[in-house]
Amino acid sequence: MTAAKKKTASSLVWFEIPADDLGRAKTFYGKLFGWKIAPISGMPLPAGGEYFHIDTGGPDASPDGGLMPRQHSDQRITNYVIVPSVAKAAAKVEKLGGKICVAKTAVPKMGYFVVCQDTEGNAFALWERSERAK
């Protein structure tokens, strides 16, 4: 008898909150949810500014997130969904009528992401774990 190949769940693994005032946003989410928010060094952003890690305090399977300066006026919260391959998933997004907003981008030693837009105009991101990402 052969073992059935287990499919990887496409679960939410990360979120990013853009803010116009980082201090105000840190205070709001810290007091509202008890989240611990601390800077991450070495995370360059296209429009500049500092990137913060949000520790939600949940078990390891709970997604943490990032807090960052708003990069453009219509930027909203982005949820990241884990997939086995961002390249294959991005191709499927386009085939189904969605759009690629940010092409495959490496986060060194962590993985790759692609930011997409669904058929209803909502932004979301795909995430592929890879310690070999450069």
Side-chain angles (χ1 to χ4, degrees):
M1 183 181 260
T2 61
K5 186 177 179 183
K6 187 174 180 179
K7 183 181 176 193
T8 302
S10 296
S11 302
L12 292 179
V13 293
W14 188 260
F15 60 89
E16 284 181 329
I17 300 172
D20 296 316
D21 182 323
L22 291 171
R24 182 177 62 206
K26 284 173 57 179
T27 299
F28 177 81
Y29 286 107
K31 288 184 177 182
L32 179 64
F33 299 125
W35 291 349
K36 292 174 180 57
I37 303 171
I40 298 177
S41 61
M43 292 286 289
L45 299 170
E50 195 169 18
Y51 193 89
F52 292 83
H53 173 251
I54 299 171
D55 179 352
T56 60
D60 285 344
S62 298
D64 281 354
L67 177 67
M68 62 193 285
R70 191 175 310 279
Q71 302 292 290
H72 50 83
S73 62
D74 60 345
Q75 184 182 13
R76 301 289 178 246
I77 291 175
T78 304
N79 292 305
Y80 285 68
V81 179
I82 194 163
V83 295
S85 164
V86 292
K88 289 179 182 176
K92 192 170 183 180
V93 165
E94 292 182 310
K95 182 179 178 183
L96 294 170
K99 297 177 185 174
I100 304 305
C101 303
V102 177
K104 182 178 177 179
T105 303
V107 178
K109 299 180 183 177
M110 295 179 75
Y112 301 95
F113 71 88
V114 173
V115 179
C116 308
Q117 186 178 61
D118 69 14
T119 56
E120 308 311 305
N122 300 303
F124 66 97
L126 305 168
W127 175 254
E128 173 187 341
R129 285 190 182 117
S130 175
E131 293 178 358
R132 292 177 282 159
K134 300 180 194 181

